[in-house]
Amino acid sequence: MMGRVMLLAVGTLLLLLPSSYGQFPRACSSAEVLQSKECCPAWSGDGSPCGEVSGRGACQDVVLSNSSVGPQFPFSGIDDRENWPIVFYNRTCQCVGNFMGFNCGDCKFGYTGPNCTVRKVMVRKEIYRMSTAEKDKFIAYLNLAKRTISTDYVIATGTYAQMGNGTNPLFADINVYDLFVWIHYYASRDAFLEGDQVWRNIDFAHEAPAFLPWHRFYLLHWEQQIQKITGDEDFTIPFWDWRDAQQCDICSDEFFGGTHPTSTVLLSPASFFSSWQIVCSQPEEYNRLRIVCNGTSEGPLLRSPGRHDRNRTPRLPTSADVEACLSMANYDTGLMDRTANFSFRNTLEGFTIPQSGIANSSQSNMHNSLHVYLNGSMSLVQGSANDPIFVLHHTFVDSLFEQWLRRHRPTLDVFPEANAPIGHNRGYNMVPFIPLYTNGEFFAPSRDLGYDYDYLAEAGSFEDFLTPYLEQARQIWQWLLGAAVVGGLLTAVMAVLAGLVCRKKRRPTTEETQPLLMEAEDYHSTYQSNL
């Protein structure tokens, strides 16, 4: 009862609050701006574009990566997402210091305060470690984001060509939650070719190196905007640790909705989520009509956990699967797509067998297995974010990415600069975000971005202290071994010389030589322990 009261109370509040973070700023959706190709809205704090008067940023030309891309998309100039966002805008706000946002009005992740100078690191919790009040609040925030129209952002409902190259803007309002559903759809939708053809082997957020940094950025934006629309600056996204899970324990009315008593695909009417309508879930229809998802409702949220294709996904990931994945030293390999072998990214995404690291198109493992297992809305890539479990699932995937970063401590050079599938090179601007950020900027430790995970924060302090020294020792182990051998020989020689000297000074009795031998053994043992 208290949870329902909280939902209604927060709902009333949210309807009165300004909204969210997304793709096209409303201020940049007019014909005038589209034809000028300059998206540099004014910051309300000083009224200047990009807050330039206050030193927050400036309107500058978009910088594009000129690195070559892989062969998966053998076209040029046919899709609005190529060289993002140059088709729509060639000038945007470039923020400086700790400022960010489409008008430089926000603080970078990990900073707060009126001038964005206060460092802040948030901790994301496992859903079962949250208090009842925290869990109810999270569900309330989800429901209210679903019912709050964004005042700052709109979504594109057509291609730039369909907009008459900017003369006829095609944009629509959307609520805060569905805004992020649309973003996920837009990044992964098929490309329209000439005539009535489409190209399916294109995805700016999946099946290639940017999968992990793209979703890291996506979740941070999602988290930040929930903080903004609720006024709760301490809110963090929870995660669902699905290692060794035998079933979907969070698929209950207490959490994210149980199964309907008379249907295997609908949610229980006792769940708040049973009233949710989904969007962007009909890709074949969009392709047939050659349209972009316009955010209109397409039916109820669907979920059918465990009633999936067990030949594709026999079980959910185990702790052993996770450990095998984390042990892979290479971030990505080969063509850097779903065929990559011995690739940490491809294994975590779920296109390889964790224990072998070999790609297998007939199996869905790790991240992919959860989407297959939950069935329904979650099983479609473009519309999977409709299910609120999507957020908890991807947050845990992000925590595994963070574990890998801490274990292997890769340099930025590990992330490919060139020859990845389109959209996935290190310097490519992530689609479809404004402000602009590159993939490489979020190939970074979570604490640098202002957040941590409860189970990593608890176990990480001693490990973080030792890791740099262990890594140095790994790199010079041959020299350490040689030093140990030489040290042992020198010790033995010194022991022999000392024994000879002592024999000259003492009577050669058994009682006197025995303590000398024990001293030599004790010293050698201590030396090994120190090493």
Side-chain angles (χ1 to χ4, degrees), residues 142-414:
L142 287 171
N143 272 281
L144 295 159
K146 186 76 169 178
R147 291 163 172 78
T148 304
I149 298 299
S150 173
T151 58
D152 289 338
Y153 287 86
V154 292
I155 61 170
T157 60
T159 65
Y160 191 70
Q162 291 169 347
M163 296 185 193
N165 296 326
T167 60
N168 180 36
L170 296 174
F171 296 98
D173 292 333
I174 198 165
N175 67 62
V176 173
Y177 187 95
D178 288 349
L179 175 63
F180 285 88
V181 176
W182 186 92
I183 287 172
H184 193 263
Y185 148 80
Y186 191 82
S188 56
R189 72 175 183 86
D190 300 331
F192 298 150
L193 303 181
E194 293 183 2
D196 60 352
Q197 301 299 306
V198 298
W199 188 263
R200 301 179 189 277
N201 193 17
I202 182 172
D203 195 316
F204 292 82
H206 303 87
E207 302 183 17
F211 168 68
L212 292 168
W214 188 96
H215 283 85
R216 172 160 285 196
F217 182 69
Y218 175 89
L219 291 171
L220 279 165
H221 272 307
W222 193 94
E223 185 174 65
Q224 184 189 63
Q225 297 321 300
I226 295 295
Q227 294 168 358
K228 292 175 72 173
I229 64 175
T230 61
D232 184 355
E233 296 183 354
D234 296 322
F235 167 77
T236 55
I237 303 174
F239 63 91
W240 173 31
D241 185 345
W242 34 249
R243 288 174 294 186
D244 303 311
Q246 300 301 308
Q247 60 186 0
C248 180
D249 294 330
I250 60 175
C251 296
S252 67
D253 291 340
E254 179 187 0
F255 289 95
F256 300 98
T259 302
H260 195 282
T262 62
S263 171
T264 60
V265 296
L266 297 176
L267 300 188
S268 164
S271 168
F272 289 110
F273 300 104
S274 64
S275 64
W276 276 32
Q277 291 284 305
I278 61 176
V279 299
C280 303
S281 64
Q282 300 175 353
E284 295 304 321
E285 185 71 1
Y286 309 146
N287 289 345
R288 184 180 70 83
L289 298 175
R290 302 186 70 80
I291 61 175
V292 176
C293 168
N294 61 13
T296 57
S297 298
E298 297 172 345
L301 177 63
L302 305 177
R303 189 190 303 140
S304 187
R307 297 179 180 88
H308 62 289
D309 181 357
R310 293 185 179 273
N311 291 323
R312 174 164 290 279
T313 300
R315 57 170 173 75
L316 293 177
T318 65
S319 295
D321 293 334
V322 170
E323 179 56 35
C325 177
L326 292 173
S327 67
M328 294 185 182
N330 296 317
Y331 180 72
D332 224 333
T333 61
L335 292 176
M336 297 175 281
D337 56 18
R338 65 165 65 192
T339 67
N341 295 321
F342 311 113
S343 156
F344 164 71
R345 187 276 312 163
N346 205 34
T347 303
L348 180 53
E349 192 167 357
F351 294 107
T352 73
I353 306 300
Q355 302 300 335
S356 68
I358 302 299
N360 187 334
S361 61
S362 68
Q363 295 284 300
S364 292
N365 301 287
M366 297 298 286
H367 153 267
N368 289 347
S369 69
L370 271 295
H371 285 276
V372 173
Y373 172 84
L374 287 171
N375 224 335
S377 302
M378 189 72 162
S379 63
L380 179 67
V381 173
Q382 296 179 20
S384 58
N386 277 293
D387 193 325
I389 294 178
F390 172 94
V391 180
L392 284 83
H393 168 46
H394 269 276
T395 305
F396 185 60
V397 171
D398 183 76
S399 80
L400 298 181
F401 176 36
E402 182 60 26
Q403 281 199 60
W404 186 86
L405 289 173
R406 295 186 189 186
R407 180 179 298 192
H408 297 277
R409 294 182 178 268
T411 62
L412 185 57
D413 292 339
V414 168

Side-chain angles (χ1 to χ4, degrees), residues 485-495:
V485 172
V486 172
L489 293 174
L490 290 176
T491 300
V493 171
M494 292 175 63

